[in-house]
Amino acid sequence: MNVTVSKGNLHDFSVCLPASKSLSHRALIAAGLSSTGCRLHHVADNNDTSATMHALKMRGASFTKDGEDWLVHGCSHGAIPAQPIDCCESGSTLRFLIPLFAVQPGTAAFTGHGRLMQRPQSVYADLFAKQGLRFEKQGDILYAEGPLSCGTYQAAGDVSSQFISGLLFALPLLPGESRIIVSEPFESESYVGLTLDILHKAGIRVNRQGNTFTVPGNQTYHMPAYTVPGDDSQAAFFAALALISDKDGDILNMDHDSHQGDHVILDHMRAFGAEVSEIPNGYHIHAADPHGAVIDLGDCPDLGPMEFAMAACVRGDSTFLHAGRLRIKESDRIACMKEEMAKLGCMLEDDGDTVYVHGGKGALRPSAVLGHNDHRIVMALSILAACSEQPITIEDAQAVNKSYPDFYQDLARTGAKISYDH
C-alpha cells in the first residue's frame, strides 16, 4: 500500500493513543501462563500482538473476545507443537517465548518473516550452548531445545533487553532457584522494568539487586484482570507533529505515572524547545522555541526515527547518542532514515553509534520515499510529509499494521491530507 500525505488543512489537534504494544505482549504472556482465567482490557490490536496470541495458543492457552476485552485461559506447562511457531515479524514474540517453550523437554521450532530471523539471537545461543542444548538456525527455522536448567544465567545487556524479559517469564516455572546476571552496559533497562511490573501483578516473585535478578522456582502465575495503558512510544509521532508544524496537540491515553521507557519522549520534547503540560488523561504539546538538542537513545531506541526526522525541521543541529542498536531492528533504521531523509532534502550523518542531524530544513523536496517494511520509519516519514506543502508518497505504508493500524486515521484527524493507493 502506498500513502500520499501533505499538510492539507493542518490544525490544532487531539489524538488518543492506542494501547501499549510492549505491555500488551507482557500481559498476554502472563495471562497465557496463568492457572486461572483472566480478563484483559484495551489490548493493543496489531500484527505483533496477534503473533504473540497465536504462539501462546500453540502452547495451550485460549483467547476469547468479549466485546473490547479478551478472556484468557492460561496453560502453565504447555506441550511443544509439532509445527513451527510463526512469530511473523515480532522480535518480542520470538525472544519472549523461546525460553517458555524450553522449560520442558523437547525441541521447539520458530519461524518468522521480514528481517526477523536475521535479527541477533546471540544471548540465547550462548546460554543454550552452556547447558548443552540445541539452539540452531536452519534457513528460516530456529530450533531451541529444552529443558532449561536452574542455575545462573549470564546475559549481555547491550544486545536487547527482550532476552532478559524472556528468561524472567520462564525461570519461575523451573523447579529451583535461578539467577540472571546482566553485564554492563544495560541498555533498554526500562523495558525489563515493565516485565517486572507485570510479573508482580501476576504474583511472581523476583528479587533484584543491581543487575542481578534472583528468581525462585516452582512459582504459579495468577494474572488478575488488567487494563493495558496507552503506548508512550506512539506519542512521539504526534508530539513531533505539534513541534514542527507549530500546532498545539493534546495527546491522550497517557499515564502520568507511566513506567514505560519511551515516556521520556516528554523530556526530549522539552529539550527540543516544546512546552509540555499535564492535562487529564494525557499531555498538551506547544511549540514554544523549536531548536536542536543532544539526546541519549540508549534506553529508548524506538524514538530514534521520529526524532531524527523532527530534528531536521528545527533550528540548529542535533546529536543522538547510543543509537547503534537501531541497526538491528526491523530495518537498519539509521541507514534507512539517512537514505529517505536525503530524498526530502534533509541531512543525517552518523559514525556508527552516534547520529548527527543538521536542522533548519525549509520546504521539503517532494518525492516518493520507501518505508522499508518498518512501521516506525513509515510513521516518521508520514509525520514529515504532514508538514509539507507538496505531497509526499510513502511506499510500503502497510507496515503501520505492525504496531498502529489506525495511525493514518488518527493523522487525518489533525487535518493532514491523506490519499491511498492500494
Side-chain angles (χ1 to χ4, degrees):
M1 178 180 75
N2 297 339
V3 176
T4 300
V5 182
S6 62
K7 182 180 291 187
N9 185 31
L10 206 61
H11 50 68
D12 294 348
F13 60 86
S14 177
V15 170
C16 187
L17 297 178
S20 165
K21 181 163 74 83
S22 295
L23 282 167
S24 291
H25 280 299
R26 290 163 170 79
L28 287 166
I29 291 170
L33 297 173
S34 184
S35 60
T36 55
C38 172
R39 178 181 290 269
L40 298 179
H41 179 65
H42 197 228
V43 176
D45 181 10
N46 55 54
N47 290 351
D48 277 16
T49 53
S50 293
T52 291
M53 291 174 66
H54 171 73
L56 290 167
K57 287 177 183 177
M58 295 182 72
R59 198 179 178 279
S62 66
F63 299 83
T64 304
K65 200 80 166 75
D66 182 25
E68 295 184 356
D69 295 354
W70 283 101
L71 303 181
V72 187
H73 295 277
C75 182
S76 60
H77 288 280
I80 294 177
Q83 299 299 317
I85 301 147
D86 189 348
C87 300
C88 297
E89 298 185 43
S90 174
S92 296
T93 304
L94 178 63
R95 290 170 174 165
F96 288 171
L97 294 185
I98 284 172
L100 282 175
F101 280 92
V103 297
Q104 61 260 346
T107 300
F110 299 86
T111 190
H113 307 280
R115 286 193 1 145
L116 179 62
M117 303 313 292
Q118 282 72 54
R119 294 172 69 177
Q121 306 295 338
S122 56
V123 173
Y124 286 154
D126 292 344
L127 296 179
F128 278 68
K130 287 177 182 176
Q131 295 196 16
L133 298 171
R134 181 188 182 193
F135 192 88
E136 177 186 14
K137 190 161 79 74
Q138 296 181 357
D140 285 335
I141 305 293
L142 175 66
Y143 297 93
E145 180 188 8
L148 293 170
S149 300
C150 311
T152 298
Y153 290 76
Q154 302 276 350
D158 61 350
V159 180
S160 172
S161 64
Q162 292 169 344
F163 297 109
I164 299 150
S165 289
L167 290 170
L168 286 169
F169 280 121
L171 295 181
L173 301 175
L174 297 183
E177 182 176 279
S178 297
R179 289 193 306 160
I180 306 169
I181 302 174
V182 183
S183 64
E184 291 286 357
F186 192 171
E187 297 183 350
S188 294
E189 182 178 352
S190 61
Y191 286 92
V192 175
L194 295 183
T195 302
L196 293 174
D197 286 348
I198 292 294
L199 289 172
H200 176 73
K201 291 181 186 300
I204 297 298
R205 292 173 290 116
V206 177
N207 178 43
R208 178 177 184 179
Q209 292 185 320
N211 286 1
T212 299
F213 303 82
T214 302
V215 186
N218 282 320
Q219 297 193 63
T220 302
Y221 281 79
H222 297 285
M223 185 65 182
Y226 178 68
T227 298
V228 181
D231 195 327
D232 290 351
S233 67
Q234 310 295 20
F237 301 104
F238 292 99
L241 179 62
L243 184 77
I244 61 181
S245 68
D246 196 23
K247 305 297 181 185
D248 283 8
D250 289 344
I251 304 176
L252 306 179
N253 198 28
M254 290 189 73
D255 182 355
H256 295 153
D257 299 316
S258 172
H259 292 172
Q260 296 176 52
D262 289 337
H263 198 72
V264 76
I265 183 58
L266 302 171
D267 293 331
H268 290 189
M269 295 307 300
R270 294 183 180 102
F272 276 105
E275 292 179 354
V276 180
S277 54
E278 285 190 11
I279 58 176
N281 193 36
Y283 293 87
H284 179 78
I285 310 294
H286 172 71
D289 179 28
H291 55 73
V294 177
I295 299 294
D296 189 336
L297 294 175
D299 201 38
C300 53
D302 285 343
L303 300 180
M306 186 63 257
E307 293 194 5
F308 298 162
M310 179 174 65
C313 299
V314 301
R315 183 184 77 255
D317 296 342
S318 296
T319 301
F320 297 89
L321 308 173
H322 304 121
R325 283 179 51 237
L326 286 163
R327 298 191 183 281
I328 55 173
K329 296 289 188 174
E330 286 85 340
S331 68
D332 179 337
R333 287 178 172 166
I334 295 175
C336 292
M337 286 301 292
K338 182 176 183 178
E339 176 184 346
E340 302 311 321
M341 286 172 62
K343 295 176 183 177
L344 302 176
C346 306
M347 184 177 294
L348 182 154
E349 299 176 321
D350 74 280
D351 64 4
D353 197 41
T354 304
V355 172
Y356 308 93
V357 179
H358 300 286
K361 172 63 185 170
L364 296 172
R365 184 186 304 153
S367 177
V369 292
L370 299 177
H372 296 271
N373 196 37
D374 189 320
H375 56 133
R376 299 200 186 278
I377 287 179
V378 169
M379 290 188 281
L381 295 173
S382 298
I383 294 297
L384 266 184
C387 298
S388 172
E389 298 289 350
Q390 299 297 320
I392 293 171
T393 298
I394 300 96
E395 301 177 4
D396 268 348
Q398 71 281 353
V400 297
N401 293 325
K402 180 177 174 65
S403 66
Y404 197 164
D406 292 336
F407 171 75
Y408 284 112
Q409 291 92 315
D410 285 348
L411 183 56
R413 293 187 181 98
T414 70
K417 184 178 180 180
I418 299 172
S419 61
Y420 302 86
D421 179 8
H422 295 276

